[in-house]
Structures are given as structure tokens and as C-alpha cells.
Amino acid sequence: GPPAAPADSRRASGLERTLSERAPADFSLGALYAKSLARLAQLWDDCGVRETERRDYGPASVESLTLINDEVQRLINRRAASFAVEERIKVREGFLYALQDLSERYAAEGETDPEGIRKELGHIVTSLRTATIDVVDAVGQWRTALADPTAQYLWKGASYLLKLQMDLHFLVAAPISRLLDCAALNNPLLYPGHGGGAAPTGAPPSEPEAADVAPTTKGYRDRDEGSLVPPHRKGRAPYAAL
């Protein structure tokens, strides 16, 4: 019989057959419009956009296709910003858990290794402080993506920035608080010279200050040493802005 064709030739012939059997790509306006609209509908679902907020773009046209693609890009940015906040929160919650664990160990064991406890506490507080700033920055970028500077980022059904203001209150009555060089109450960054005030009652304040909940990160880091410097106080903001 005739000699077998080289393997490369057989592969090339198979590829040509596959390409010839495929339907030609449809780059018509109607096809592009339908594809973009389907992608937008998926993003609406992924981002939890309510039906009442989903716009009807009308018949296919260059203008409507442009508007759809703009909305697709906006939602992609929004989704990416939301993922970034979630990742920053996971990191902060990890350091918060480590601080709670250290507090419980110190309460149970006391001054068995004071230098070791102080060193571990210093590392955790520094990391938690940085993670807190990262969360605030990420929420700010998420708000920018939403074009809503007052949007609340909900985590487990509550504003995370409000939680962030209060979730260190357990330190107020904890024995380990005597090792801190700052007040733990109303001081989410655990920064020396900040915090204090009345003891928590278990109910959130009706009008918490924006600086306590979402302090700006500008000026927190020293340019030369990378250390943290005290934040500037900002004006009050209504609870809805948290």
C-alpha cells in the first residue's frame, strides 16, 4: 500500500476538517448584542443586582451595545473590589482570632513567660493594625467602584466597618490589657494615645463617629520608617454612612 502520511500532515488535515465543520463566527451587531446582554445578565446575578435595577437596553444598536459593555466593565470592577474586601477581611479576622487566643492563654497561664507574651502580642497588634488599614482602604475602593461613598459593606449581615469599631472591646476587661500601651476601647488601630471613653454597654452607639469606624489611611504610615502615625480626626457622619 501507499506510505503513511507523516504525523504532522495528519494533524494538520484533522485541524482543517475541524475548522471547516465549525459554523463561521457571527460578528453581526445582533449577535454581539445578544452575547453582551447574556454576559451582563450573568454579572447581574453574580453581583446580586435586583430586578428593579436591571435596565432594559432596547433593540440592538451601536449605542445600546456600548452602554451594555460599559455596564459589564463596571460590574466586573465592582465584583473585583468586593472580592478584594473579602480577602482583606479574612486576613484581619485571622489576626483578630490570634489576639483572642493569646488573650485567653494569658488569662489561663498568667505571667509564665512574660517576655514571650509581650513579644507575641506586639507582633499580633502590629499585624492587626496593618490589616485593619487594609480593610478600610479596600472598602473605600469598593465604594468607588459602586460610585456610592456611603455604601455599607455587609459581612455576616452587619456593616464590617461598624464591627471593626467594636470587636476589640473584649480587651477592655481582659488581663492582657495591662500589657498594652494604649486603651482598647474605641481604638480599632490600638494606637497609643487614642481610644478610651465610656465602657461598652453591648448596644452600638446610635451615631458613631466616622473617624472611629472608617478612619482615613492617609498619613498613617511614616514615609521614612514605614511605621504608623496617629490618624487625624474627621467630622461626624450619620450611621447610614457607615
Side-chain angles (χ1 to χ4, degrees):
D8 289 344
S9 298
R10 291 199 300 271
R11 280 197 295 270
S13 299
L15 178 60
E16 289 173 0
R17 265 197 318 273
T18 301
L19 293 176
S20 64
E21 291 170 359
R22 287 182 180 176
D26 188 353
F27 294 107
S28 66
L29 177 61
L32 293 174
Y33 178 85
K35 184 177 180 179
S36 295
L37 197 57
R39 188 181 186 193
L40 177 58
Q42 183 62 54
L43 283 168
W44 275 336
D45 291 340
D46 293 346
C47 295
V49 177
R50 293 190 293 268
E51 290 291 338
T52 54
E53 298 175 349
R54 301 188 182 195
R55 176 178 173 181
D56 181 3
Y57 289 90
S61 67
V62 173
E63 181 181 3
S64 60
L65 181 60
T66 300
L67 292 174
I68 289 173
N69 287 335
D70 287 346
E71 179 67 2
V72 164
Q73 188 59 54
R74 187 186 73 83
L75 290 175
I76 288 174
N77 294 341
R78 171 178 167 179
R79 185 175 61 180
S82 181
F83 287 160
V85 176
E86 285 295 321
E87 290 303 310
R88 303 300 188 278
I89 288 176
K90 287 178 183 177
V91 172
R92 183 180 182 275
E93 288 294 309
F95 289 121
L96 179 60
Y97 177 85
L99 181 59
Q100 292 169 332
D101 180 68
L102 181 63
S103 176
E104 292 173 3
R105 283 193 283 120
Y106 182 79
E109 300 170 8
E111 297 280 353
T112 56
D113 182 15
E115 290 305 315
I117 289 290
R118 283 185 173 85
K119 185 176 181 180
E120 186 175 356
L121 178 62
H123 287 321
I124 293 174
V125 167
T126 300
S127 298
L128 179 62
R129 185 183 293 140
T130 301
T132 299
I133 293 173
D134 288 344
V135 168
V136 173
D137 285 346
V139 171
Q141 293 171 19
W142 171 77
R143 286 173 167 175
T144 299
L146 264 63
D148 184 356
T150 64
Q152 299 182 54
Y153 193 90
L154 300 182
W155 189 78
K156 296 187 177 180
S159 168
Y160 192 80
L161 293 184
L162 182 57
K163 174 190 181 296
L164 178 152
Q165 182 195 19
M166 304 172 66
D167 60 12
L168 295 180
H169 284 175
F170 73 92
L171 289 172
V172 174
I176 202 172
S177 63
R178 67 174 66 102
L179 303 183
L180 293 170
D181 58 356
C182 64
L185 184 63
N186 298 329
N187 190 9
L189 292 176
L190 291 178
Y191 198 85
H194 289 262
T201 62
S206 57
E207 288 282 329
E209 294 187 32
D212 292 331
V213 180
T216 175
T217 57
K218 293 181 180 179
Y220 276 29
R221 301 183 188 277
D222 183 82
R223 292 182 181 178
D224 298 325
E225 300 179 2
S227 58
L228 295 173
V229 296
H232 297 292
R233 301 287 291 178
K234 297 294 181 181
R236 291 180 179 271
Y239 173 74
L242 304 179

